[in-house]
Amino acid sequence: MAAPIIETCHVACCANRTPNVLSWGRGGLIAYGTCHSVALYDPQVIYLFHNFNNSCRCSIVPILACGGDDCRIHLYAQCNGQFRKVLSLQGHEDWIRGVEWAYGDLLLASCAQDCLIRVWRLVAKSRTKRNVQDERTIRMTEDVFTLTQNDASSAFAVTLESVLAGHENKVYGVHWQPPVIKGGDQHQSLSLLSASMDKTMILWAQEEGSGVWVEQVRVGEVGGNTLGFYGCQMSPDGSMILAHAFHGALHLWTQSHGKEGEWSPGVVISGHFNAVQDLSWDPEGEFILSVGSDQTTRLLTPWKRKDQTQPTWHEISRPQIHGYDMQCLAMVGRFQYVSGADEKVLRVFRAPRNFVENFANISGTPLAKLLASSDTVDQPEGASTPALGLSNKAVFQGDLAPKTNEEEGTGFNSVSDQYQESYFHPLTLNEPPPEDHLLQNTLWPEVQKLYGHGFEMFCLASDSGRMVVASACKASKAEHAAVLLWSATSWRQLQALPCHSLTVTQMAFSPNGLFLLAVSRDRTWSLWRRDDPMGIYCACVCLPRPEPHFSLYTSTRKDTAVHTRIIWSCDWSADNKYFVTSSRDKKVIVWGDCSSSEASVTPDEPPVIRPCSSILDVGDSATAVSFCPILCPGNSYLLAVGLESGQVLLYKWERIEEPAGASDWTRYGETDSSQSHSLTVKRLRWRPRAGRAGQGGEEEGRGEGSSWVQLASAGADHSVKIFNINRLAV
């Protein structure tokens, strides 16, 4: 059997922000809705299997319970093949948010926005006459209904068994412990799980002897600027409980072995809860940073466990939690990045020491190696966000020491003294942190703000030498469409590069840092060349490196442009010879050879860069494109193309002097329906080195790792996907 070309390595996605969107099956798999898809994963191995872009149907019990916004529970019974309404149960004082039947005893649990849970019992009612003794017995109020099936009538009664008051906010989910098969019969433990917007889950059970429902276990999230839980589920054996939160995060607790009543947080997958706009690998290819419209920046890395040969990907840090939708980011070195959002300001972040230490523990990378690659001088321990603030404030070791009464004083000197700003607590992690720690203790400090743009940020790019950052904002006029260049050392503005008349949609530096490519909504591209190319190779430590300066090398105009619609994406080949553009007009074009043209730049005769490939029609709007940094056999190039439909296509391109009928393009592979995004592909990024992150044998030419490369994709369907690509497969 031929080796697979595309394997799904990981899918980072969270649950939809809607009640009761998650179910735990008897086989152990968890299914939950994520955007337009259904995701399946096994919490035992913490691995997402697939996401299916299809709707699902639920099977119906002969008695159906429905909760309404009229504060009533409506019962429907199947009679002669038809469901008809038989009863309405009153008692809740606000919208009903969840109902569920127990499998064994006919118990119905309901929860509502009135913060209460009610347990109802359904029994068959005897038609025998009650005697005098029965009349004197105190009975609960019964709601009775009659069913007629094949000329036979049966009476049933519903009574309120218990009212459970323990939550302090709206209760959105209730779930009975699933039944188990013992001796060929089905048995169910009467254990009830509830989830509330008060950020807690409660496990209820009947007390032995009295039969009174009491609280057994309470778990939940402490701190963080989030709302509570939208639903809950229990594992088939009752050893794990799971909740999904308002922001889509999954919260798992596992019962400690041999310690009844003790539960500890477990590791689960996570992801953005809105469109993912951009992502980037770190220069070493060991982790991925992504930004999204959910106003967060998230860091994913493989978790290498001693008892597992296969690493699993997890979010281990949330460097930025913002007040604006995030749009773009660019890595500047290994532990520093610049981000842009729906604001006019760029923000620079640098990893704190606590993150570097925990990253070493989780990824298995030696700490000394990581500290050598980062600026450890005056490195803060972590970061926190002040009340009503957007900037992450650095927290140093001295800030963590408790203050004495004399230092604190007896009163408040200012308004800010009334609010505690240092919420950060250093952690020592050997496994990925739970959601509450991600929210509070994994922020990166903000080290710089960059001002200069007049509108919201749209795209960013940085060169491989960590010298220059290019930025562009939304623009409807030429005066706002200029690209700004920033020094990555002093963070001052170097240049403004005016050329385009509308928004620059994406930019890319050539791998050697000599060229900067920009593509625009005005259907043209511009190529900028560094004026002092020798400054790139300046390695003298005695002299300061010269600040780069770029000039317009060449560009296309509306009358000479090949693309007829907006150009969405661009990228460079690893050998600096060619660049590729993709557009809404469904065309993908390779341009060059840029390395063969050494003509001087003059206003009268700018160099001409022409298409060097045939025009590839991919059949849909090409929203993302990326060159693989590792060449394929025969010195051919591997490209990934992302479509508006969500599919990712792989092509081989080989330079042919006179290609006829797109003979220079070869379709290499494509994602199937379960691998593709369900909405637009926003960004594609290849891992900068061969091999699979978190596994051995990654050196080029050694072991299995040399035949595999990894591709990360960001989608409008809220997901980040990582694919393993076998570049040597036929």
Side-chain angles (χ1 to χ4, degrees):
M1 180 181 293
I5 295 176
I6 303 178
E7 295 179 350
T8 302
C9 173
H10 180 69
V11 180
C13 58
C14 70
N16 286 335
R17 301 170 68 190
T18 184
N20 304 307
V21 74
L22 182 145
S23 179
W24 203 326
R26 296 187 184 183
L29 290 182
I30 294 173
Y32 61 90
T34 174
C35 194
H36 295 176
S37 305
V38 174
L40 299 178
Y41 93 99
D42 188 344
Q44 297 286 1
V45 297
I46 322 174
Y47 178 77
L48 187 76
F49 287 100
H50 285 297
N51 65 301
F52 299 96
N53 305 326
N54 299 309
S55 60
C56 61
R57 296 183 178 181
C58 300
S59 60
I60 300 175
V61 294
I63 298 180
L64 180 66
C66 300
D69 57 8
D70 58 357
C71 309
R72 298 182 179 183
I73 302 169
H74 305 284
L75 298 183
Y76 294 81
Q78 189 177 28
C79 185
N80 296 323
Q82 297 288 332
F83 275 93
R84 68 179 182 87
K85 185 175 179 179
V86 294
L87 202 61
S88 291
L89 304 178
Q90 301 184 40
H92 285 291
E93 298 178 355
D94 208 335
W95 288 15
I96 310 297
R97 284 301 186 177
V99 289
E100 184 169 301
W101 289 99
Y103 288 86
D105 296 352
L106 286 178
L107 293 178
L108 175 66
S110 63
C111 61
Q113 294 184 171
D114 60 5
C115 309
L116 298 176
I117 301 164
R118 290 174 177 260
V119 180
W120 314 80
R121 183 179 293 274
L122 174 64
V123 295
K125 188 171 180 61
S126 173
R127 291 189 175 274
T128 59
K129 295 183 179 181
R130 288 181 289 185
N131 56 32
V132 177
Q133 184 66 28
D134 292 335
E135 295 291 344
R136 296 175 180 174
T137 303
I138 298 177
R139 293 177 175 273
M140 296 291 291
T141 302
E142 295 181 338
D143 292 296
V144 182
F145 64 91
T146 303
L147 291 180
T148 302
Q149 183 84 4
N150 297 327
D151 298 329
S153 297
S154 301
F156 298 88
V158 179
T159 58
L160 178 63
E161 174 145 316
S162 183
V163 178
L164 310 182
H167 289 291
E168 299 176 355
N169 208 328
K170 303 173 183 178
V171 185
Y172 269 89
V174 285
H175 179 64
W176 296 99
Q177 180 174 340
V180 295
I181 305 298
K182 294 181 179 179
D185 297 326
Q186 185 170 264
H187 299 272
Q188 182 171 27
S189 173
L190 291 182
S191 181
L192 180 65
L193 181 66
S194 62
S196 168
M197 291 299 281
D198 65 3
K199 301 184 181 182
T200 66
M201 283 199 298
I202 298 178
L203 199 59
W204 309 85
Q206 287 181 307
E207 200 172 40
E208 292 186 8
S210 67
V212 176
W213 289 86
V214 294
E215 175 184 321
Q216 283 193 325
V217 176
R218 182 188 291 256
V219 297
E221 176 186 333
V222 178
N225 185 22
T226 62
L227 296 177
F229 297 142
Y230 255 162
C232 57
Q233 290 280 290
M234 193 182 303
S235 65
D237 61 359
S239 64
M240 293 185 287
I241 54 179
L242 181 73
H244 61 99
F246 176 78
H247 284 154
L250 303 181
H251 297 253
L252 178 71
W253 283 269
T254 304
Q255 188 173 19
S256 302
H257 294 290
K259 297 180 180 179
E260 186 177 354
E262 291 190 14
W263 297 72
S264 57
V267 177
V268 290
I269 62 172
S270 63
H272 292 272
F273 58 84
N274 211 329
V276 186
Q277 300 291 351
D278 200 2
L279 56 77
S280 180
W281 293 84
D282 80 289
E284 296 296 322
E286 293 186 350
F287 62 82
I288 292 174
L289 273 176
S290 61
V291 295
S293 299
D294 61 353
Q295 305 182 349
T296 66
T297 303
R298 301 174 186 244
L299 190 148
L300 293 169
T301 195
W303 177 27
K304 299 177 68 174
R305 288 168 286 175
K306 296 180 180 179
D307 57 340
Q308 299 286 339
T309 58
Q310 184 77 14
T312 55
W313 286 79
H314 298 275
E315 180 183 356
I316 66 167
S317 178
R318 202 163 295 171
Q320 185 181 8
I321 301 175
H322 205 30
Y324 294 93
D325 290 1
M326 305 295 299
Q327 295 295 335
C328 51
L329 87 158
M331 294 293 300
V332 186
R334 193 169 191 188
F335 295 114
Q336 185 172 244
Y337 74 92
V338 185
S339 69
D342 281 345
E343 59 174 345
K344 304 173 185 178
V345 183
L346 291 167
R347 299 174 186 267
V348 185
F349 297 86
R350 186 176 298 157
R353 184 179 183 89
N354 189 241
F355 164 79
V356 177
E357 294 171 348
N358 290 328
F359 176 74
N361 295 338
I362 295 172
S363 66
T365 307
L367 179 60
K369 179 182 177 182
L370 296 177
L371 293 177
S373 65
S374 64
D375 186 6
T376 58
V377 178
D378 297 328
Q379 192 176 27
E381 278 294 308
S384 64
T385 303
L388 305 180
L390 293 177
S391 301
N392 293 353
K393 179 183 177 182
V395 177
F396 293 90
Q397 189 67 41
D399 300 328
L400 300 173
K403 294 182 179 180
T404 63
N405 293 332
E406 296 180 357
E407 293 174 327
E408 290 180 350
T410 57
F412 298 122
N413 296 323
S414 64
V415 175
S416 62
D417 291 339
Q418 302 177 36
Y419 301 95
Q420 181 183 5
E421 293 192 351
S422 181
Y423 300 105
F424 166 77
H425 299 284
L427 303 172
T428 300
L429 299 175
N430 294 307
E431 64 180 20
E435 180 72 10
D436 53 341
H437 286 314
L438 285 171
L439 289 169
Q440 184 169 310
N441 298 316
T442 64
L443 293 170
W444 290 16
E446 181 181 313
V447 297
Q448 195 74 37
K449 292 185 181 70
L450 308 180
Y451 299 92
H453 287 287
F455 288 92
E456 296 89 346
M457 302 309 308
F458 199 84
C459 62
L460 282 164
S462 62
D463 69 336
S464 58
R466 293 183 292 176
M467 298 181 64
V468 191
V469 174
S471 62
C473 69
K474 295 179 182 178
S476 57
K477 297 180 181 179
E479 58 185 295
H480 301 298
V483 174
L484 299 187
L485 297 185
W486 310 84
S487 168
T489 53
S490 65
W491 295 117
R492 79 178 178 88
Q493 185 177 324
L494 300 176
Q495 280 182 271
L497 309 179
C499 180
H500 296 282
S501 59
L502 294 175
T503 305
V504 173
T505 54
Q506 203 169 101
M507 299 175 291
F509 282 93
S510 59
N512 60 9
L514 184 60
F515 290 102
L516 170 63
L517 173 66
V519 296
S520 171
R521 200 177 280 272
D522 63 11
R523 310 174 186 178
T524 67
W525 55 258
S526 60
L527 190 62
W528 304 80
R529 191 174 190 271
R530 182 166 173 161
D531 295 336
D532 55 336
M534 295 308 297
I536 301 175
Y537 309 104
C538 178
C540 180
V541 296
C542 301
L543 299 175
R545 300 180 72 175
E547 290 186 334
H549 188 275
F550 284 77
S551 299
L552 183 63
Y553 188 64
T554 188
S555 64
T556 55
R557 303 184 303 273
K558 289 185 178 180
D559 57 340
T560 61
V562 179
H563 289 295
T564 58
R565 302 292 298 275
I566 176 176
I567 305 177
W568 278 124
S569 185
C570 62
D571 197 22
W572 283 90
S573 62
D575 55 12
N576 305 288
K577 292 182 179 180
Y578 310 104
F579 62 86
V580 62
T581 57
S582 67
S583 167
R584 182 181 286 171
D585 62 9
K586 309 176 184 179
K587 298 175 183 176
V588 176
I589 304 172
V590 179
W591 308 75
D593 180 345
C594 297
S595 63
S596 63
S597 178
E598 297 295 339
S600 60
V601 181
T602 63
D604 298 331
E605 297 182 359
V608 178
I609 302 294
R610 295 186 175 88
C612 58
S613 73
S614 60
I615 297 177
L616 176 65
D617 189 337
V618 294
D620 193 10
S621 176
T623 54
V625 68
S626 185
F627 264 112
C628 180
I630 312 298
L631 292 178
C632 291
N635 291 326
S636 58
Y637 299 86
L638 178 61
L639 289 92
V641 181
L643 306 182
E644 190 172 29
S645 65
Q647 191 175 29
V648 178
L649 310 178
L650 297 179
Y651 286 92
K652 272 186 179 180
W653 177 74
E654 188 174 0
R655 177 70 185 269
I656 300 176
E657 292 302 324
E658 296 183 2
S663 60
D664 53 338
W665 293 99
T666 303
R667 185 74 163 261
Y668 189 60
E670 61 188 38
T671 55
D672 58 32
S673 59
S674 67
Q675 296 174 312
S676 301
H677 293 275
S678 59
L679 293 176
T680 304
V681 178
K682 304 292 288 187
R683 188 69 152 162
L684 292 172
R685 294 273 199 171
W686 292 92
R687 186 170 184 248
R689 56 190 293 190
R692 291 172 284 189
Q695 297 187 355
E698 295 180 350
E699 292 80 12
E700 179 66 15
R702 294 185 186 177
E704 185 190 9
S706 61
S707 65
W708 292 94
V709 287
Q710 285 186 308
L711 174 68
S713 67
D717 61 351
H718 313 175
S719 67
V720 172
K721 302 195 176 191
I722 304 171
F723 301 105
N724 295 328
I725 312 294
N726 189 345
R727 64 187 183 90
L728 301 181
V730 179

